[in-house]
């Protein structure tokens, strides 16, 4: 069974820093990997989707990479802002359209 | 336009009651899901429906029964509610084929059983 882990569980950085969030998965037979953002008391907002054949995706200050062979994905956030404070979740899609979610990284960007 | 909408957003009820949460998606997706997010924020799948047919049914008490009247709707009915059912329930949908499997989530329903 797929297990998805995110490190670190919590991260606090000063505004303006670049940062990397990590996601690892045990079963490399995934269709895609998706990064989400969740604000307190809110739903999940899709940030980036990387298909299994792709290596990375970029959107604005966000860049996500995927290395299936090593079972890893990273989300890079450039020039962090207080508005980036949220919980970030990665999810791996498997056969049967089932998503396995990571445990999340709670990010706080200090002004 | 809200892509995936759930109602109600908040639900407070007493133990033993029966309640339903509704979900609708206007994306034309074929697959819909229900996820439960516990107090530690971990999201676990409960059910998945594809074109109104049950695809995934994880280890969930049979007090939980999903119903899909059409592929745009997936409702969750819960019988005999227990304290441990308190959580946030999320509905989600994905499209057809591997290249269209970006998941969209509703805003969640916070269920509190007292």
């Amino acid at each position: 069974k797929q297990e998805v882990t995110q490190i670190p569980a919590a991260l606090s950085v000063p505004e303006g820093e670049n940062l990397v969030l990590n996601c690892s998965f045990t079963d490399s037979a995934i269709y895609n990997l998706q990064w989400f953002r969740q604000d307190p008391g809110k739903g999940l907002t899709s940030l980036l989707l990387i298909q299994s054949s792709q290596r990375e995706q970029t959107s604005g200050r966000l860049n996500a990479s995927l290395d299936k062979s090593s079972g890893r994905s990273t989300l890079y956030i450039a020039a962090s802002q207080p508005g980036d404070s949220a919980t970030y979740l990665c999810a791996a899609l498997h056969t049967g359209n089932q998503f396995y979610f990571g445990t999340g990284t709670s990010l706080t960007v200090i002004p | 336009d809200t892509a995936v909408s759930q109602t109600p957003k908040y639900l407070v009820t007493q133990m033993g009651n029966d309640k339903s949460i509704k979900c609708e998606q206007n994306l034309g997706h074929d697959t819909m899901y229900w996820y439960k997010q516990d107090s530690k924020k971990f999201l676990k799948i409960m059910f998945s429906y594809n074109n109104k047919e049950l695809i995934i049914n994880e280890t969930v008490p049979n007090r939980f029964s999903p119903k899909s009247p059409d592929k745009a709707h997936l409702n969750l009915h819960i019988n005999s509610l227990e304290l441990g059912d308190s959580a946030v329930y999320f509905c989600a949908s994905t499209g057809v084929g591997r290249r269209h499997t970006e998941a969209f989530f509703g805003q969640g329903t916070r269920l509190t059983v007292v």
Side-chain angles (χ1 to χ4, degrees), chain A residues 1 4 30-32 34 36 38 41-44 46-49 51-54 87 89 93 95-103, chain B residues 9-10 31 33 35 37 40-45 48 50 55-56 58 90 94-95 98-108 110:
Chain A
K1 185 179 177 181
V4 182
I30 63 172
Y31 287 156
N32 65 38
Q34 193 167 353
F36 295 88
Q38 185 175 26
K42 303 290 186 182
L44 279 70
S46 179
L47 297 173
L48 288 165
L49 171 70
Q51 301 291 349
S52 61
S53 58
Q54 297 175 324
T87 296
L89 295 155
L93 176 67
T95 304
N97 273 3
Q98 182 168 358
F99 284 88
Y100 288 90
F101 276 86
T103 45
Chain B
K9 187 174 181 180
Y10 300 98
T31 306
Y33 310 79
Y35 281 84
Q37 188 172 45
K40 295 184 179 180
K41 306 300 183 186
F42 184 65
L43 276 155
K44 185 173 180 181
I45 190 166
S48 168
N50 183 270
I55 302 299
I56 298 169
E58 291 292 308
F90 285 99
T94 59
R98 291 167 54 178
R99 293 199 64 81
H100 300 280
T101 46
E102 181 173 7
F104 290 83
F105 279 74
Q107 289 300 297
R110 182 173 296 276

Side-chain angles (χ1 to χ4, degrees), chain A residues 15 37 50 74 104:
Chain A
E15 182 177 2
R37 167 186 175 141
I50 313 176
T74 61

Side-chain angles (χ1 to χ4, degrees), chain B residues 45-83:
Chain B
I45 190 166
M46 301 173 68
F47 301 102
S48 168
Y49 266 72
N50 183 270
N51 276 324
K52 303 195 310 177
E53 290 188 21
L54 182 64
I55 302 299
I56 298 169
N57 183 0
E58 291 292 308
T59 306
V60 176
N62 57 15
R63 297 181 295 103
F64 290 79
S65 56
K67 287 184 171 55
S68 182
D70 55 62
K71 74 174 192 177
H73 296 83
L74 181 62
N75 304 322
L76 183 65
H77 190 74
I78 315 170
N79 290 327
S80 303
L81 279 155
E82 300 177 357
L83 293 177

Side-chain angles (χ1 to χ4, degrees), chain B residues 5-20:
Chain B
S5 60
Q6 297 177 227
T7 55
K9 187 174 181 180
Y10 300 98
L11 185 54
V12 181
T13 188
Q14 290 185 327
M15 284 176 55
N17 284 349
D18 302 339
K19 290 293 178 184
S20 292

Side-chain angles (χ1 to χ4, degrees), chain A residues 16-33:
Chain A
E17 267 201 13
N18 302 327
L19 57 101
V20 175
L21 307 180
N22 297 293
C23 172
S24 60
F25 45 94
T26 55
D27 186 346
S28 62
I30 63 172
Y31 287 156
N32 65 38
L33 189 132

